[in-house]
Amino acid sequence: MTRHKQAVEKATKSINQVKEEVGTNQWRLKYHVSSPAYWINDPNGFSFYNGEYHLFYQHHPYSAQWGPMHWGHVKSKDLTFWEYLPIALAPSEEYDKDGCFSGSAIEKDGKLYLMYTGHKWTGDNQDEDLEQVQCLAVSEDGVNFEKLANNPVIGAAPVGDIHPHHIRDPKVWKRGDDYYCVIGNKTKDEVGQVLLYRSRDLVEWEFVNVVAKGEGNFGFMWECPDIFHLDGHDVLVMSPQGMEPEDYLYHNLHQSGYVIGELGYESGKLDHGSFELLDYGFDFYAPQTTIDAQGRRVMVAWMAMWESDMPEQEFNWAGAMTLPRQLFIQDGKIISRPMPEVEKLRNELTAYENVIFEGKKVLEGVSGDCLELDVVIDAKDASLFGLKLRVNEEQGEETVVRYDLAEGFLTLDRNKSGKGLDGIRQAPVELKDNELHLRIFMDQSSVETFVNGGEKVMTSRIYPVQASTGIEFFAEGTVSIKSLRKWSLNESVGCEPVHSKSLSEI
């Protein structure tokens, strides 16, 4: 048995010891991907292979704290019902003994290749005493992986103003006969940048150029880069670390966003516009995309944030993935919408139309902790309006989504959301014909709010008590709930599809 196989079996045994207990936790998510137990962070290797979606994730299978990284693994036929698979990668070799860090996946000759960062510490200073190299593992069946004997396939960093140690998170794609990958990096003077490489066979790589580099308030390190072509444009997605807050922007520890431009494959340079956030909430990091058989560009991200309070750690798990989202470009910016397949989870519809009120309003049948809420509100003559989620007056708990017409901002307020969390986040939003359209997904300990068809998204973890299930609308002035549809949603991770519908039935 190889060292890698032994490491995978040891990690699997650790997970199996606590997964049943974890599954009963009140905050455990039902239709968002998380590991059976213990810690997860970045999505990795998001890909479409042999007719199925594969999603890997950074995983520490020995505790609910960050530790030596493994790759956990789930797969799905529809981006909605997810099956747990064995751990795909575990530290086992000298070049990755302290972690199999983030990376991506690609199909070649019918096999699924994982390209990842091998990580090891060389001293006590975790910013300087490290080595990071790029490695490959391959699978014949998309489940069991073996590391290549000639790893690492990219060793020392290129010469130039390129930090030699912080070089990680390869995202690989194919164009014509060539493979390309981008890798996160920073300059020697702590400026975030992304490197571009080219290969004919995934094994021998040549450095092309620094494809993009930060200027001004653009962070000291760019993690998890991803380049793809969408609606006639080239897009670079990345997660800058160290951006300073500006007004309502950049108040998370680290950010995730994109620039749109045109990539010169010969020059290796991306001519691009300004940086835009992908999500305006608290918990969204390290997004990664794939393209499926229908040509859809699908994105998923880590639904957490570094150094955040994670109350679920007490119960032997931490972290989750966002809902998969389809990306489009509209009016020069990315919009993101939940994949239509999530509608398979719907049941128990409650609907209302043209409910006019001022002050506060509670609607019968509109409550819960695992649901989808699609609501259009006509502002009429109100100055401020919104809704409170996971309300429990006895406990003093509520998560507030409110819109201020004078300011033109949508605010997500979790100061009373439950255990361990507080703060507000804001996004600039314009009403459409004096109306606000919100599509809200709640799942035990998360809220994802899609605004006006995906022009903005606000994502947050919340940790209320189990009895906090109320939903309350409020307004200063008169508003109309023009339409409201609420569905309870079924569980879909780690379980068989139950009463699910085909897309043609949705």
Side-chain angles (χ1 to χ4, degrees):
M1 184 182 295
T2 65
R3 288 193 301 270
H4 182 237
K5 183 68 172 177
Q6 289 175 328
V8 165
E9 290 192 356
K10 180 181 177 184
T12 301
K13 183 178 180 180
S14 173
I15 287 288
N16 287 341
Q17 290 173 344
V18 297
K19 68 180 183 181
E20 288 189 15
E21 173 193 343
V22 168
T24 65
N25 180 240
Q26 66 171 348
W27 294 318
R28 187 70 176 165
L29 300 160
K30 292 185 175 181
Y31 60 91
H32 288 80
V33 170
S34 56
S35 64
Y38 296 139
W39 172 275
I40 74 171
N41 55 284
D42 305 357
N44 295 156
F46 190 28
S47 51
F48 189 74
Y49 173 71
N50 280 353
E52 295 178 308
Y53 298 89
H54 287 257
L55 176 61
F56 304 82
Y57 48 83
Q58 290 284 273
H59 182 32
H60 184 226
Y62 296 103
S63 81
Q65 309 290 328
W66 187 89
M69 286 291 99
H70 297 55
W71 278 36
H73 188 189
V74 292
K75 72 173 183 177
S76 173
K77 295 183 183 299
D78 61 2
L79 290 168
T80 301
F81 290 91
W82 295 93
E83 174 188 350
Y84 287 116
L85 294 174
I87 287 171
L89 294 177
S92 63
E93 312 303 318
E94 180 63 24
Y95 55 78
D96 65 8
K97 66 178 185 178
D98 294 314
C100 299
F101 275 19
S102 289
S104 54
I106 193 167
E107 180 179 353
K108 179 179 180 288
D109 300 328
K111 303 175 184 179
L112 188 62
Y113 285 79
L114 306 182
M115 190 172 187
Y116 70 98
T117 297
H119 175 87
K120 66 178 180 179
W121 302 113
T122 58
D124 295 331
N125 185 331
Q126 293 198 356
D127 189 56
E128 293 296 331
D129 298 336
L130 70 161
E131 290 182 8
Q132 295 184 334
V133 294
Q134 317 314 314
C135 312
L136 284 176
V138 63
S139 173
E140 302 271 357
D141 59 6
V143 178
N144 301 289
F145 290 85
E146 292 294 337
K147 298 172 184 178
L148 266 61
N150 52 345
N151 277 334
V153 295
I154 300 177
V159 297
D161 191 12
I162 294 170
H163 198 290
H165 305 309
H166 290 270
I167 179 168
R168 55 183 175 267
D169 312 334
K171 177 64 193 295
V172 61
W173 73 98
K174 189 176 185 183
R175 181 177 183 267
D177 294 329
D178 292 320
Y179 297 92
Y180 291 85
C181 79
V182 281
I183 303 177
N185 185 240
K186 61 182 177 180
T187 70
K188 296 172 182 176
D189 293 328
E190 307 282 318
V191 176
Q193 61 184 7
V194 171
L195 313 180
L196 179 67
Y197 283 78
R198 179 170 50 227
S199 173
R200 276 299 172 103
D201 59 4
L202 293 179
V203 177
E204 298 289 336
W205 291 90
E206 63 171 331
F207 172 63
V208 179
N209 210 340
V210 175
V211 70
K213 177 180 174 181
E215 295 181 3
N217 182 26
F218 218 154
F220 60 78
M221 172 73 191
W222 289 1
E223 290 196 313
C224 303
D226 187 354
I227 285 183
F228 52 88
H229 197 70
L230 179 66
D231 296 341
H233 302 274
D234 293 316
V235 179
L236 168 62
V237 166
M238 70 292 214
S239 295
Q241 297 183 319
M243 295 179 74
E244 296 295 328
E246 295 180 9
D247 194 17
Y248 62 89
L249 294 170
Y250 317 144
H251 287 273
N252 296 334
L253 179 65
H254 302 311
Q255 319 307 318
S256 292
Y258 66 94
V259 295
I260 295 176
E262 184 175 350
L263 175 60
Y265 275 86
E266 292 305 314
S267 67
K269 299 292 289 185
L270 179 71
D271 181 19
H272 62 82
S274 60
F275 179 75
E276 301 284 346
L277 289 176
L278 281 163
D279 192 291
Y280 286 76
F282 293 88
D283 294 297
F284 184 95
Y285 193 69
Q288 188 170 104
T289 75
T290 191
I291 192 164
D292 68 8
Q294 301 175 51
R296 302 180 299 180
R297 179 60 58 174
V298 188
M299 177 182 71
V300 68
W302 181 36
M303 193 164 59
M305 178 52 62
W306 292 112
E307 299 182 20
S308 288
D309 191 6
M310 299 179 184
E312 74 266 34
Q313 288 177 308
E314 179 184 347
F315 302 96
N316 286 325
W317 69 286
M321 298 293 120
T322 65
L323 279 178
R325 305 171 183 182
Q326 186 173 359
L327 302 184
F328 308 84
I329 293 180
Q330 180 176 291
D331 298 328
K333 293 186 179 181
I334 284 182
I335 62 171
S336 55
R337 298 172 182 157
M339 302 302 295
E341 287 89 336
V342 74
E343 298 172 20
K344 295 179 181 182
L345 301 180
R346 291 173 172 173
N347 60 62
E348 300 173 7
L349 171 65
T350 301
Y352 288 88
E353 290 186 357
N354 301 319
V355 178
I356 299 172
F357 76 96
E358 56 182 295
K360 73 175 185 178
K361 187 70 174 178
V362 175
L363 298 173
E364 184 178 354
V366 181
S367 63
D369 58 11
C370 186
L371 58 84
E372 177 188 350
L373 185 66
D374 191 314
V375 59
V376 177
I377 301 176
D378 186 334
K380 290 195 173 292
D381 64 7
S383 60
L384 182 148
F385 64 88
L387 68 163
K388 299 177 180 180
L389 309 169
R390 301 301 301 272
V391 176
N392 184 326
E393 292 185 0
E394 198 172 293
Q395 293 286 332
E397 290 185 346
E398 60 186 26
T399 297
V400 184
V401 179
R402 65 177 177 268
Y403 185 76
D404 188 307
L405 280 84
E407 294 182 352
F409 278 96
L410 188 72
T411 298
L412 173 64
D413 183 339
R414 67 175 186 183
N415 280 315
K416 298 180 181 178
S417 290
K419 188 172 182 179
L421 301 172
D422 57 17
I424 67 169
R425 293 290 180 267
Q426 294 183 302
V429 172
E430 293 184 8
L431 300 185
K432 309 294 183 183
D433 297 325
N434 207 43
E435 295 176 353
L436 179 68
H437 180 197
L438 301 177
R439 193 174 176 198
I440 299 172
F441 290 83
M442 290 197 297
D443 188 1
Q444 307 288 101
S445 60
S446 69
V447 178
E448 291 170 277
T449 301
F450 295 82
V451 185
N452 288 342
E455 290 181 4
K456 300 286 194 306
V457 190
M458 304 183 82
T459 300
S460 181
R461 299 296 303 277
I462 58 172
Y463 300 90
V465 299
Q466 201 162 11
S468 297
T469 58
I471 295 177
E472 178 183 301
F473 292 85
F474 63 88
E476 295 181 4
T478 302
V479 302
S480 172
I481 301 175
K482 187 175 180 179
S483 69
L484 180 150
R485 292 176 295 169
K486 172 256 175 179
W487 297 268
S488 298
L489 297 182
N490 290 323
E491 186 174 4
S492 67
V493 178
C495 63
E496 291 295 321
V498 178
H499 304 306
S500 63
K501 303 173 184 177
S502 68
L503 278 179
S504 62
E505 297 176 299
I506 293 173

